[in-house]
Amino acid sequence: MSHPNAPAPAERTGTALLSVRDLTKTFPGRRRLGRPSAPVRAVDGVSFDLAAGETLGLVGESGCGKSTTGRMLVRLLEPTAGTVAFDGRDITHVAQRRLRPTRRHLQMIFQDPYASLNPRQTVARIVSEPLLIQGSSVAAARRRAAELLDLVGLDPEHLDRHPHQFSGGQAQRIGIARALATGPRLVVADEPVSALDVSVQAQIVNLLERLQRELGLTLLFVAHDLSVVKRVCDRVAVMYLGRIVEIGDKRDVYEAPAHPYTRALLSAVPLPDPVAERRRERIVLLGDPPSPAAPPSGCSFHPRCPKAQEICRTRRPALAVVGSGAREAACHFPENG
Ligand SMILES: Nc1ncnc2c1ncn2[C@@H]1O[C@H](COP(=O)(O)OP(=O)(O)OP(=O)(O)O)[C@@H](O)[C@H]1O
Ligand code: SF4
Ligand SMILES: [Mg+2]
């Protein structure tokens, strides 16, 4: 099914639809025992470009700042510093009212479909709402909602049902229909399958992949682990403690990771071939990630890094090109260079 806002294929490559520079989010410390604790630097200077029609996977352990980054991109959260440019326009501080024409192009799919859908509203209402906000008539929005249900593989006859009448996978399809209602160009999918049964995860990943292709969506796909994003993404960014530590084409990052943290994450991904699975080396990281309220000095990964040297404790490595491909890593001693 074609989409009214799908760009022509020629427009899908080359230009950066989204440009993020030094994006930072600091949350004030919570008060503990009457004393304020240190501020939390949840996102600490993130920069990347997303070409139109491209899918970037954003991975990293819990608490590394993935959701905070995603929410700032679609202006659900105000950045503390840095800039977000969409289609060449700086939207970092545009007032919500003036942002309305752009807002229809910036949408989000959430992790928990039931929590993100209002249980008292019908599916028709849930999916129509973004269209009504953009000025659609009720009748036109309802017609479009029926088309959207069909697009995401649900029965358009079920418009008057409520979210609890659907399975988790179906509820996530409703969330996806709602996100697509206004014909967005950029969609941030924040762990869209991690709350679902393993048996339906692949179906939702397939659906997102098909929609991305058919509608020419530009997609930021947030996930805990590297195996889920492998199928869908063109490029991958690995985050650790609020920073991107490696970013590049999928093939470079998966086949020849440069950063020790990426190598450790990849070593935890099960291999389909049992012989390869038995032989492969697992890199076990020591301890939990440090708190973003008290990040380690130098390279913030050094307390857990099997390759750490003296310089790593004092000098923070910047993202730099590794090898000949389109890949950067923030490490003083990158591999596969
Ligand atoms: N509203 C908030 N107030 C204070 N701290 C926050 C807030 N939101 C997030 N944080 C903190 O910011 C850091 C990054 O959180 P974020 O939710 O972006 O991580 P994440 O990578 O999405 O994690 P997960 O994989 O668990 O979803 C965490 O330390 C978190 O506790
Ligand atoms: S800079 Fe040092 S501590 Fe950090 S990832 Fe590289 S080798 Fe490890
Ligand atoms: Mg998150």
Side-chain angles (χ1 to χ4, degrees):
M1 182 174 174
S2 74
H3 190 280
N5 296 97
E11 288 176 49
R12 288 184 198 170
T13 48
T15 39
L17 182 68
L18 184 80
S19 212
V20 179
R21 290 293 173 269
D22 298 320
L23 201 62
T24 301
K25 182 68 187 182
T26 308
F27 292 110
R30 297 193 180 96
R31 291 188 80 81
R32 282 210 197 101
L33 303 170
R35 282 204 237 147
S37 54
V40 174
R41 196 166 267 236
V43 176
D44 189 11
V46 160
S47 303
F48 62 87
D49 283 344
L50 251 180
E54 176 179 54
T55 300
L56 176 70
L58 186 61
V59 299
E61 283 164 297
S62 184
C64 70
K66 304 180 297 294
S67 297
T68 306
T69 301
R71 292 169 72 89
M72 285 193 284
L73 301 187
V74 297
R75 284 288 308 269
L76 284 177
L77 203 57
E78 286 290 315
T80 310
T83 54
V84 178
F86 176 78
D87 212 6
R89 177 174 175 231
D90 185 343
I91 57 160
T92 326
H93 302 294
V94 177
Q96 290 290 347
R97 192 174 46 82
R98 285 192 45 223
L99 191 67
R100 197 177 292 166
T102 307
R103 177 154 284 295
R104 60 179 280 249
H105 288 300
L106 311 171
Q107 294 294 336
M108 188 133 178
I109 298 165
F110 297 93
Q111 177 172 358
D112 182 344
Y114 294 116
S116 59
L117 305 175
N118 186 334
R120 285 182 298 276
Q121 289 180 348
T122 62
V123 173
R125 180 67 215 254
I126 288 168
V127 177
S128 306
E129 197 170 49
L131 292 162
L132 299 173
I133 291 171
Q134 293 287 334
S136 261
S137 71
V138 174
R142 190 178 164 90
R143 273 197 305 279
R144 180 86 188 109
E147 283 172 18
L148 285 158
L149 288 196
D150 187 48
L151 180 70
V152 299
L154 292 173
D155 186 346
E157 299 283 310
H158 294 169
L159 270 180
D160 295 311
R161 295 192 178 183
H162 289 80
H164 69 267
Q165 294 173 282
F166 295 87
S167 69
Q170 289 172 326
Q172 190 57 299
R173 287 174 195 263
I174 298 169
I176 294 169
R178 178 183 159 99
L180 296 179
T182 53
R185 296 178 69 192
L186 176 75
V187 173
V188 173
D190 189 359
E191 310 236 20
V193 300
S194 39
L196 304 175
D197 284 350
V198 175
S199 57
V200 294
Q201 287 189 359
Q203 294 167 19
I204 299 297
V205 170
N206 288 347
L207 172 67
L208 284 170
E209 197 180 28
R210 175 171 68 78
L211 292 170
Q212 191 277 332
R213 210 176 43 238
E214 286 179 5
L215 309 181
L217 296 175
T218 306
L219 192 63
L220 184 82
F221 193 105
V222 175
H224 259 83
D225 68 90
L226 282 149
S227 56
V228 175
V229 298
K230 193 170 184 181
R231 279 250 334 265
V232 218
C233 297
D234 306 305
R235 286 197 303 147
V236 186
V238 180
M239 269 185 97
Y240 188 78
L241 220 60
R243 297 171 158 255
I244 290 179
V245 296
E246 180 155 4
I247 181 166
D249 286 345
K250 177 166 72 176
R251 190 182 300 173
D252 288 330
V253 176
Y254 279 83
E255 290 175 15
H259 196 283
Y261 181 60
T262 314
R263 297 178 71 82
L265 286 185
L266 277 171
S267 85
V269 176
L271 299 173
D273 172 5
V275 177
E277 171 70 27
R278 266 200 304 280
R279 283 199 195 135
R280 77 113 169 235
E281 177 201 5
R282 278 211 63 173
I283 304 166
V284 180
L285 290 179
L286 302 169
D288 293 324
S291 160
S297 61
C299 171
S300 57
F301 186 55
H302 86 254
R304 301 172 81 195
C305 181
K307 286 185 67 187
Q309 312 276 320
E310 196 48 42
I311 187 182
C312 305
R313 285 175 233 288
T314 51
R315 278 249 315 266
R316 175 187 278 179
L319 268 178
V321 173
V322 178
S324 53
R327 181 256 303 275
E328 293 173 282
C331 174
H332 295 306
F333 308 101
E335 306 238 359
N336 297 308

